[in-house]
Each structure stands twice: as structure tokens, then as C-alpha cells.
Amino acid sequence: MATPCAAATADHESLDRLLAGGPRHVLLDSTRTGGQLAMSRLAAPAGTASSVHPHAGEDEIFVMMRGSGIFWAGDQRFELGEGGVAFLPCGVPHGYRITSDADLLALSTPGSPGLAPYAAGADQHETLEWLDGGLVRILLSEERTGGRLSLFRSTAPAGSASPVYVHGKEDEIVVMLSGSGIYWVGEHRYELSAGGMVFVPRGVTTAHRITTDAEKLTVTTPGGLEAFLRKVCRDVSQPRPAGWRISFDAMVRAAEATGQTILVAPLQADDASSAPLVAA
């Protein structure tokens, strides 16, 4: 089984400049995930551009955190601004040009031949209401990635907290884009702030509590967690029923229907670990 880990911004490995851009900070090395996922964050000033090239064995994903750029994939051309995502599958020639100073997250995963390129702007993502009024945007579903991963961007108000749960088949990676929170992973307790990352291997008890208003990027590999979210959350494109909220029982039922396991109610900030409560 993979080992849980977490890192603050200052702990990320910094690599040399990428093309004409700024440094690349390694958030998660593929050795941590058994080769299933690597993630880095990079700064790219306007004018940064790559050659057109294919990847023989990996799919590549870019999330535009700030700025804008043009991406080419095969015979398609995508213009992305802040909040946009581009999925560039293996075997498809692709390239990009940054049109205004940008901050990007770059992910790579073993390739799934035959998949189609995909891109979406910030206003095109399926959006769900989650705990305490937080929002989850589905940037990439398992259908888009051949089941390799799912990708979400979410907001969470201070005080919101998850129950203690276990992913039976997925590893979960969370990047704290802004704000702060406490993450319990098995026997570990991590305090994350902006730029921090936590890796939760499948089969390990976990929970979190947000301590200041936060925005997060979450990856699950393999994909499919959106099936749970769609069952328990509210599609914001539909009218909001009076008094609507997510109950613990509703989460348990949705988890049972989608192969997840929810164990106990949320932890308090001073709890040291999720494991003793589960064992009890």
C-alpha cells in the first residue's frame, strides 16, 4: 500500500525553468502514487510556448489557475482563461502558447489510447452544491479520462468538515489553493495552508475540517468519485428546494450505492487521528 504524505509550499521540489517560463514546483512525484499520477505547478509568462508534440505513453492535463493561453490538440484549438482545463491524451500531437502571465497546474497519468482531447472554460463545468454551501466543480469526469482519474475544484467555508471515510479503490490528492484546513489520514494529522498538498492512499481512513475559507483542487485516481457527489449533492443549475441540506444519513446511503465507505461523523479540530475513532 502507498504511504500517506503531505507537503507545504516550501517543501515542494523546484525544477529549472520550463521553456521560457518560470520554475516548475513538483507537488507530487509519480513514485508516491505507483506511477499513476504526477502533479506540478508552474509559472509561465506571456509568450511561453511549446512545440507541437505527442506523448507516447501518458495523458497530460493543464488547469489554468491564472492567466490565459491557447492549446492545440490534433486539429482542435482551445482558448482557455482562468479556471479552464485542457485534457491532452497520449498519441495526439499538441502544444500551447501562453497569452497572458499564467499560473498552471500540470498533471500526467498513464495514457489511455483512443481518447479524444477535451477542454472547458470556467463557466462550462458541472457545478454541485456540497457541505455547508460549498461548491464542487467537476473539471474532468472518468468518462473524459478513460477512467484514469477525476478532477474537481471546490470551495469550502470555514468550519465545514467531512465525516471519517475510506476510499476502497481510489487514491485522493488534495491541493489547497487558498485558505487552510486540517486533514487526518490514518494516524497522521496534517495542517495545510495555501499551496499545501496531501496524498491519501486508498484503504486509509481520512477526514478533513476547513479552518479558514478555502479553495481546493482534488484528484482521485482511478476516476469515478463524481458518482457519489452527484447522488448526494445538488446540481446548482436546478432550483434549490427549501431547507435543502446534506445529512450524514444521505452521505452514508450515497456512499453505499457508489462503493465508498463512511464511518463516523466529523472530527473536531483537536483530534489527533482518525484511526482510533474507527477502531472504537
Side-chain angles (χ1 to χ4, degrees):
M1 179 184 290
T3 304
C5 67
T9 302
D11 299 327
H12 300 318
E13 179 184 6
S14 182
L15 303 180
D16 291 338
R17 293 166 66 89
L18 177 69
L19 302 175
R24 176 187 290 258
H25 300 284
V26 178
L27 276 62
L28 186 67
D29 188 274
S30 63
T31 57
R32 291 283 192 180
T33 65
Q36 294 306 300
L37 182 74
M39 183 187 302
S40 58
R41 191 164 186 169
L42 55 109
T48 301
S50 75
S51 61
V52 176
H53 62 285
H55 290 298
E58 63 183 18
D59 299 332
E60 191 169 27
I61 299 157
F62 287 97
V63 182
M64 190 72 70
M65 309 305 300
R66 178 178 61 86
S68 60
I70 303 169
F71 290 78
W72 293 268
D75 59 358
Q76 299 183 68
R77 180 182 185 274
F78 308 114
E79 295 189 21
L80 294 184
E82 182 175 338
V85 64
F87 173 73
L88 309 171
C90 71
V92 177
H94 62 273
Y96 64 84
R97 176 173 292 277
I98 301 303
T99 51
S100 66
D101 292 352
D103 177 17
L104 302 99
L105 282 173
L107 300 84
S108 62
T109 187
S112 302
L115 294 178
Y118 171 77
D123 60 349
Q124 296 175 294
H125 306 311
E126 179 182 355
T127 304
L128 307 172
E129 183 178 355
W130 178 227
L131 294 170
D132 300 307
L135 297 177
V136 178
R137 293 174 173 84
I138 303 175
L139 275 60
L140 289 173
S141 65
E142 65 173 346
E143 292 82 10
R144 297 290 186 185
T145 67
R148 287 289 187 184
L149 60 80
S150 295
L151 178 63
F152 312 94
R153 187 170 180 172
S154 61
T155 59
S160 66
S162 76
V164 179
Y165 63 95
V166 178
H167 290 308
K169 65 176 183 177
E170 306 102 342
D171 296 334
E172 182 178 9
I173 302 96
V174 178
V175 179
M176 190 72 71
L177 302 176
S178 64
S180 59
I182 302 167
Y183 280 76
W184 294 268
V185 187
E187 298 286 351
H188 304 279
R189 180 184 184 276
Y190 303 115
E191 296 190 17
L192 293 188
S193 57
M197 180 280 305
V198 63
F199 170 61
V200 183
R202 67 198 71 180
V204 177
T205 58
T206 186
H208 66 264
R209 177 172 289 276
I210 300 303
T211 49
T212 63
D213 291 353
E215 186 173 18
K216 306 176 291 177
L217 189 92
T218 302
V219 186
T220 60
T221 177
L225 184 63
E226 61 271 19
F228 165 78
L229 293 170
R230 286 168 175 155
K231 279 191 173 294
V232 77
C233 294
R234 184 186 70 85
D235 185 338
V236 300
S237 68
Q238 303 300 314
R240 192 180 198 276
W244 182 89
R245 69 181 186 87
I246 299 174
S247 68
F248 180 77
D249 288 344
M251 286 190 284
V252 170
R253 290 193 299 271
E256 290 174 347
T258 57
Q260 309 297 323
T261 303
I262 290 180
L263 297 165
V264 296
L267 302 180
Q268 298 304 310
D270 57 354
D271 286 326
S273 166
S274 63
L277 286 180
V278 174

